[in-house]
Amino acid sequence: MNTTFFTIKELTEAVGGGITPRMVRHYHKLGLLPQPVRSPSNYRLYTEKDVIRLQRIMALKQQGFQLNHIRQILEVEPQLDTNPNLIAQLQQQYRAVIQQIAQLRQTASALEGLLGRDRHCQIIQAEVLAQLKLIEVETQAGLDSLDKFWQGLDAAVHTHSETFTESLHHLLPDLSQRSEIEQHLISQLVLACGDVSLVSFIRISQGAIAASRTALAAGCEIMVDIPTIAAALDQTRLVHLGSQVKILIDNPHINTVTEAEQEFWQHQEWRAKLQQVSEGCILIIGYTPSVLLEACTLIQKQKIQPSLVIGMPIGFSHAPAAKRQLMQQNIPFITIEGTIGGGLLAATALNSLVESLIDKPDCHCYLNKCL
């Protein structure tokens, strides 16, 4: 049987994703790719097996794995028992990444302290920026003077209420390609958690805004996973629209993610109740990953047909998996990738949509961006 061989250029073209011959040669040196056979003219020759391995390397790299761990992952043979040494090394990498995030978060906080100022604070802000250039920090006295600069800047907040929209304007990334309603929704989610980096993880499917406005204007049912979310919804505006809020896990003693998850698994009645949600409802899941996983299964089997799913459960394995499944469904959704979520964010998403519908019922910027 003849084997098809690729030159290094043909290998990179087959893999794609921005891979270059120089990167391939670097992966050889690191042991990520085995050394290829050579042609009589001493050219590197690669097989389909090399293409597949390089594709795996690129996929793992895109997921954020470091090259030394990619090599170890690819070398581990599939088995029931996880390699404990590899797990320990990945844990070490995770701790290092978390430390880097903490350091970046500290830097971001310092920048937010300067940039997240409204017009009333800008004069003091300018003075602080000027003095920061001259500060000496070799001594404790220098550090004390720096603290006094921040205290002076912070003193300005006692003279007026904060103008959140103006503060956010200096911090948010460019959202001009988003519709006016999406911009408002994203801003409200950021304000709900105080983390501007959340913007990078918010996912709003095409048609989600239109679907939400149509459903809410028709007075659709709102189904939430636990009572905590129902308490955070804007009941006054929902009553005005004619929407009724129902609770899936209707147990007043359920307040945490752990309790909600255990309750859903231990009592079959909640699964049965999920199958009975009304067609065209808005389904809000802010705590329980298993509820979102089950909802995705029911949607895929066409047993339930919500008009919109706001899926923002919290969790470290099931929640990210559930959100990925949600994004694969042929249904409008709003979610936050990864582990971040919670009832407050889920409720904030709906409240923002309701507010936009009532305040701007004739706005069509989500169909054709407002100028």
Side-chain angles (χ1 to χ4, degrees):
M1 184 175 180
N2 294 329
T3 301
T4 301
F5 288 104
F6 303 87
T7 65
I8 192 169
K9 182 179 179 182
E10 291 170 338
L11 172 70
T12 58
E13 291 175 348
V15 173
I19 187 74
T20 64
R22 183 178 180 180
M23 293 169 65
V24 172
R25 289 190 289 268
H26 180 58
Y27 292 163
H28 284 311
K29 292 181 181 179
L30 295 177
L32 276 166
L33 277 174
Q35 290 294 335
V37 298
R38 296 277 184 164
S39 70
S41 302
N42 203 33
Y43 287 105
R44 292 181 174 89
L45 296 179
Y46 298 90
T47 65
E48 187 66 34
K49 187 176 179 180
D50 294 315
V51 173
I52 295 172
R53 185 176 178 90
L54 187 53
Q55 287 174 334
R56 289 173 178 166
I57 292 170
M58 296 301 293
L60 290 170
K61 186 178 177 182
Q62 289 174 358
Q63 290 297 312
F65 288 100
Q66 294 180 359
L67 293 179
N68 61 323
H69 291 125
I70 292 175
R71 183 183 66 250
Q72 293 164 348
I73 289 171
L74 293 177
E75 288 175 354
V76 172
E77 292 295 330
Q79 54 189 11
L80 295 178
D81 296 327
T82 305
N83 187 316
N85 292 330
L86 177 58
I87 293 300
Q89 291 176 5
L90 293 178
Q91 287 174 332
Q92 185 177 4
Q93 180 191 358
Y94 175 75
R95 295 188 190 102
V97 169
I98 290 298
Q99 186 175 8
Q100 292 172 0
I101 291 174
Q103 292 170 345
L104 289 172
R105 180 67 260 175
Q106 187 175 10
T107 302
S109 295
L111 291 170
E112 288 163 356
L114 291 173
L115 298 175
R117 301 283 170 168
D118 51 36
R119 180 172 50 85
H120 297 282
C121 296
Q122 287 178 354
I123 295 177
I124 296 180
Q125 177 194 52
E127 293 176 355
V128 170
L129 282 171
Q131 294 183 66
L132 283 176
K133 295 179 181 179
L134 305 175
I135 191 151
E136 298 289 342
V137 294
E138 286 84 359
T139 65
Q140 184 61 44
L143 293 174
D144 291 341
S145 62
L146 180 58
D147 289 336
K148 290 179 181 178
F149 290 154
W150 285 111
Q151 291 170 11
L153 185 56
D154 292 340
V157 304
H158 296 285
T159 63
H160 63 283
S161 60
E162 182 167 356
T163 308
F164 290 104
T165 303
E166 188 176 339
S167 296
L168 273 178
H169 175 72
H170 302 296
L171 300 172
L172 285 174
D174 182 17
L175 299 176
S176 59
Q177 298 304 312
R178 302 267 193 167
S179 71
E180 181 182 343
I181 294 176
E182 284 192 37
Q183 291 181 34
H184 177 68
L185 169 60
I186 292 170
S187 298
Q188 293 302 109
L189 288 171
V190 169
L191 285 172
C193 68
D195 187 353
V196 178
S197 67
L198 185 75
V199 175
S200 301
F201 302 96
I202 297 172
R203 298 291 179 263
I204 303 172
S205 72
Q206 185 176 5
I209 301 299
S212 70
R213 290 172 72 86
T214 299
L216 288 168
C220 69
E221 177 182 288
I222 310 294
M223 175 66 79
V224 302
D225 55 344
I226 68 171
T228 304
I229 299 178
L233 293 178
D234 190 337
Q235 299 285 350
T236 301
R237 283 192 170 106
L238 287 172
V239 168
H240 174 76
L241 292 173
S243 291
Q244 182 180 4
V245 178
K246 292 187 177 180
I247 303 169
L248 178 64
I249 305 175
D250 194 8
N251 182 340
H253 302 293
I254 301 298
N255 295 303
T256 68
V257 178
T258 302
E259 292 171 344
E261 187 79 352
Q262 291 177 349
E263 180 76 10
F264 186 72
W265 275 97
Q266 292 172 1
H267 298 87
Q268 186 63 31
E269 62 183 289
W270 308 128
R271 293 177 181 272
K273 188 175 180 180
L274 182 60
Q275 296 184 40
Q276 297 169 5
V277 297
S278 63
E279 183 176 349
C281 74
I282 293 180
L283 183 59
I284 305 176
I285 303 165
Y287 279 88
T288 326
S290 291
V291 171
L292 184 54
L293 286 168
E294 182 69 13
C296 289
T297 299
L298 294 173
I299 291 169
Q300 189 173 18
K301 294 180 178 179
Q302 298 185 339
K303 291 187 176 181
I304 62 173
Q305 293 181 327
S307 60
L308 172 71
V309 177
I310 299 177
M312 301 181 183
I314 303 172
F316 300 100
S317 60
H318 289 48
K323 293 170 183 177
R324 284 191 290 268
Q325 287 195 25
L326 173 62
M327 290 186 284
Q328 293 171 2
Q329 304 300 317
N330 187 24
I331 195 167
F333 64 80
I334 300 174
T335 189
I336 300 173
E337 279 190 312
T339 62
I340 301 172
L344 178 59
L345 289 171
T348 296
L350 183 74
N351 289 341
S352 175
L353 294 171
V354 170
E355 178 187 358
S356 296
L357 176 61
I358 292 178
D359 291 351
K360 299 181 178 181
D362 299 320
C363 179
H364 294 90
C365 61
Y366 55 93
L367 300 176
N368 184 13
K369 190 179 67 175
C370 291
L371 300 178

